[in-house]
Amino acid sequence: MNMEEKQEKVLYSAVQPSGNLTIGNYVGAIRNWVKLQHEFTCFYAIADMHAITVRQEPAELRRRTLELAALYIACGIDPEQCTLYVQSNVPAHAELAWVLNTLTYVGEMERMTQFKDKSAKHPENVNMGLMDYPVLMAADILLYQTDLVPVGIDQRQHLEITRDIAIRFNNRYGETFRIPEGYIVKEGAKINSLQDPLHKMSKSDENPNASVYLADDRDTILRKFRRAVTDSDNRVIAAEDKPGVTNLLNIYASFKGCTIAEAEKEFDGKGYGDFKLAVGETVADVLAPIQAEQKRLLADKAYLAGVLGRGAENAFRAARRTLSKVYRKIGFYRGE
Ligand code: ATP
Ligand code: LTN
């Protein structure tokens, strides 16, 4: 299908280049984007402006940004089918965020779960950007008149505040923004930590055994799954009091493309040792070709620069339309 034949509906999503991506990012976000790119007009960004809300080493941030672009493509995102770009290359994001800030209350931002979590994690750096993170995210989404936002379940609160801010703006200044909906895929919506299965797997976790990275080699993946926290009852079933095993079943089902019930059946009567090995092998088999393709792409910096350059131009064109409308509505002088 070419770009013109797609639905008019706009889809937007992004990942921060704030660390090595985990299988949670893959299953909860990027993998779903690949399917959706054929149905909708898609904008996929690398959210470097969000990433600096936590301290980043500049050279590393730049390297990760390019690695993430290569990874998107290696996972199956086709730059001919969608707009793939780096957030900071399109200044309209910062500009709209400033306007939206004036419609957002401090109390609302203080109540955001991610803000509370990250403030607790980085008490030495509770900066304004960290608090303002959801407003920048609202700007990302609203700039493109987005209908759908595919994300993992942890981002639901940010989507709700985006909708609130958009409705508030529309009520005050007249219809300007389309009100977006979340698109949260049930399977794999939340992959949890292998070491603390009650919490989500996160790319910024300090314990490297807690997360499986997309860049991990086969041996590392097998080792991490072997060490994953389970329990002592040795039955492979999903249950509330078995968060470790449930998480592994969820991972297995997500990578195998089966249901949890089917996975339970497959491991009926087998012990944790066999089960963990199977989970590790399944994950490693899916990741191997992605890793090879990412490596190939990273060797061609000119190609990546071309893709991101064209992406930023495309995004800029779409974003400018909304931003001009916003500036007109709020009464900024535009020279006529
Ligand atoms: P950080 O640890 O730096 O906050 P993160 O791993 O939570 O990062 P984000 O960049 O915040 O990753 O998220 C990118 C996308 O991946 C989002 O759509 C998010 O919902 C999804 N995602 C992140 N972690 C998981 C997870 N454990 N399970 C499912 N989806 C996830
Ligand atoms: N906060 C998001 C990353 C992100 C995003 C967005 C997701 C930044 N801007 C716009 C969807 C739409 C996260 O996933 N942690």
Side-chain angles (χ1 to χ4, degrees), residues 12-16 47 50 114 133 137 140-141 149 151 155 158:
Y12 189 96
S13 202
V15 171
Q16 308 175 67
H50 279 104
Q114 183 179 297
Y133 182 114
M137 184 162 156
D140 296 345
I141 296 168
V149 186
V151 280
Q155 294 297 312
H158 290 160

Side-chain angles (χ1 to χ4, degrees), residues 63 66-71 293-301 304:
R63 177 177 57 76
L66 208 59
E67 282 176 5
L68 187 51
L71 188 72
E293 179 63 3
Q294 185 195 24
K295 195 167 163 214
R296 191 186 68 77
L297 288 160
L298 278 170
D300 192 350
K301 298 275 187 303
L304 291 174

Side-chain angles (χ1 to χ4, degrees), residues 34-335:
V34 176
K35 295 180 220 147
L36 296 164
Q37 68 184 340
H38 302 293
E39 291 169 49
F40 302 99
T41 299
C42 296
F43 292 87
Y44 294 133
I46 297 169
D48 55 348
M49 293 165 71
H50 279 104
I52 60 164
T53 58
V54 171
R55 216 156 281 152
Q56 303 290 340
E57 216 280 293
E60 221 162 82
L61 180 63
R62 210 173 349 257
R63 177 177 57 76
R64 283 195 180 130
T65 299
L66 208 59
E67 282 176 5
L68 187 51
L71 188 72
Y72 279 0
I73 302 171
C75 286
I77 305 253
D78 178 357
E80 302 298 320
Q81 285 288 330
C82 56
T83 298
L84 171 59
Y85 72 104
V86 179
Q87 183 188 30
S88 66
N89 292 175
V90 181
H93 292 254
E95 295 183 70
L96 181 61
W98 179 255
V99 173
L100 300 181
N101 270 331
T102 65
L103 287 107
T104 309
Y105 299 100
V106 172
E108 290 178 304
M109 295 296 100
E110 279 170 340
R111 283 196 292 276
M112 291 281 126
T113 311
Q114 183 179 297
F115 172 64
K116 288 194 277 191
D117 288 352
K118 291 208 171 169
S119 306
K121 217 163 147 189
H122 307 277
E124 74 302 337
N125 186 20
V126 183
N127 63 77
M128 286 302 294
L130 192 61
M131 188 164 166
D132 207 25
Y133 182 114
V135 179
L136 179 59
M137 184 162 156
D140 296 345
I141 296 168
L142 299 177
L143 265 181
Y144 299 93
Q145 302 294 349
T146 301
D147 296 280
L148 280 181
V149 186
V151 280
I153 214 155
D154 61 301
Q155 294 297 312
R156 181 182 280 160
Q157 205 181 25
H158 290 160
L159 286 181
E160 267 154 28
I161 198 77
T162 298
R163 289 164 56 89
D164 289 349
I165 295 172
I167 292 169
R168 218 172 275 165
F169 189 101
N170 286 352
N171 285 342
R172 193 170 305 169
Y173 297 107
E175 276 311 302
T176 307
F177 295 122
R178 212 175 280 176
I179 310 301
E181 307 268 348
Y183 181 96
I184 297 170
V185 180
K186 258 228 191 96
E187 307 83 51
K190 193 167 172 219
I191 303 285
N192 284 341
S193 157
L194 297 190
Q195 293 300 318
D196 175 11
L198 290 172
H199 290 103
K200 82 163 187 159
M201 185 181 286
S202 161
K203 62 172 121 73
S204 49
D205 201 311
E206 263 134 46
N207 180 352
N209 289 321
S211 307
V212 176
Y213 300 108
L214 297 184
D216 281 345
D217 60 36
R218 192 176 187 86
D219 287 347
T220 309
I221 295 172
L222 296 183
R223 178 170 45 79
K224 286 182 178 177
F225 280 109
R226 205 178 324 121
R227 291 197 189 159
V229 169
T230 45
D231 51 48
S232 55
D233 114 270
N234 221 24
R235 282 186 315 144
V236 183
I237 48 165
E240 211 160 304
D241 61 343
K242 292 165 72 72
V245 175
T246 305
N247 186 38
L248 293 179
L249 275 166
N250 186 29
I251 294 172
Y252 183 76
S254 308
F255 277 83
K256 193 85 184 178
C258 65
T259 64
I260 303 244
E262 284 164 348
E264 282 175 330
K265 216 165 173 191
E266 188 178 338
F267 294 102
D268 188 19
K270 297 209 175 106
Y272 288 167
D274 289 346
F275 172 52
K276 286 173 164 180
L277 180 65
V279 182
E281 284 181 333
T282 305
V283 170
D285 287 347
V286 171
L287 297 188
I290 296 177
Q291 291 168 348
E293 179 63 3
Q294 185 195 24
K295 195 167 163 214
R296 191 186 68 77
L297 288 160
L298 278 170
D300 192 350
K301 298 275 187 303
Y303 167 73
L304 291 174
V307 165
L308 294 174
R310 282 191 297 281
E313 267 170 41
N314 242 347
F316 175 72
R317 229 175 295 119
R320 195 178 44 187
R321 236 174 284 140
T322 303
L323 193 67
S324 300
K325 198 164 161 191
V326 167
Y327 280 178
R328 206 167 350 101
K329 297 250 182 178
I330 58 179
F332 280 179
Y333 174 69
R334 311 301 290 155

